[in-house]
Amino acid sequence: RKEVEQDPGPFNVPEGATVAFNCTYSNSASQSFFWYRQDCRKEPKLLMSVYSSGNEDGRFTAQLNRASQYISLLIRDSKLSDSATYLCVMQRGSNYKLTFGKGTLLTVNP
Amino acid sequence: DTAVSQTPKYLVTQMGNDKSIKCEQNLGHDTMYWYKQDSKKFLKIMFSYNNKELIINETVPNRFSPKSPDKAHLNLHINSLELGDSAVYFCASSQDFVDSYEQYFGPGTRLTVT
C-alpha cells in the first residue's frame, strides 16, 4: 500500500461548484499534512497546511481525520483558475522528508 | 527575482551521456532538495542537503550524484543516462529541515533521454 493515496480524478466541474478531494495515508506516525497545488507544466506550490482542528483559507477548507487516516480538501465556488493538480503531502515527525501523493487533477469549466 | 532557479530548463540528450543540472536559491534557506517527477506525475524525493551536508539519500541509482558547493547551490550530476531517467527534475529549498513543511520549488528541468 502506498504511503499516500489520492483519487487521481480527473474531476471536471462547472464554475461555482463545490468539489472535495480525499487522501488517505498508511503511516499512523505521520504528523504533518499539507495540500500543494501544481499547475500544468509548473512547479508545486504550497496551498495550505492541514491542522487537526480543520482550517479554512477563503474558499478552501482542509480537514484531518487521524482516526480514519485521511485528509480532505474542499473547494467552494470553484473558479477557472482553480484548475490544477492538487497534491496531498505528509511529513512524519522530525523526519523532514515530504511524501507526495500522485495528485488529483481538477478542471473547472466555464 | 527568481527564488529557486534551475538550469537548464530543457535537456535532451542521448543514452550513455553524462549531464548536470544546476540549482540555486536566493532565499537564504538551509536545506535543498532534488525531486524526480516521472511521466505518471509522481513526485518523489531523491536527495536533500542541509548546510552542505547530505541528509536524505533515497534509493536512487549511484549514477546520480548531488553536489552542494555551498548552501545556496545544489547540483545534480547524472552519469550514463538511461531512457528511464527521462522525467522532470525539481529542485526545492526550505528554511529549516526540522520545520520544512513549506518547500519552494524551482521551475523544473525537463530531461529527455533518447
Side-chain angles (χ1 to χ4, degrees), chain A residues 58-79:
Chain A
R59 298 181 292 107
F60 298 84
T61 301
Q63 300 259 336
L64 167 61
N65 185 319
R66 288 192 185 274
S68 301
Q69 294 185 209
Y70 79 82
I71 70 171
S72 63
L73 177 68
L74 182 77
I75 306 175
R76 290 181 299 279
D77 189 23
S78 299
K79 310 290 184 193

Side-chain angles (χ1 to χ4, degrees), chain A residues 10-32:
Chain A
F11 284 67
N12 287 285
V13 302
E15 270 189 287
T18 295
V19 61
F21 309 133
N22 288 328
C23 166
T24 58
Y25 60 95
S26 59
N27 192 323
S28 59
S30 301
Q31 291 190 359
S32 302

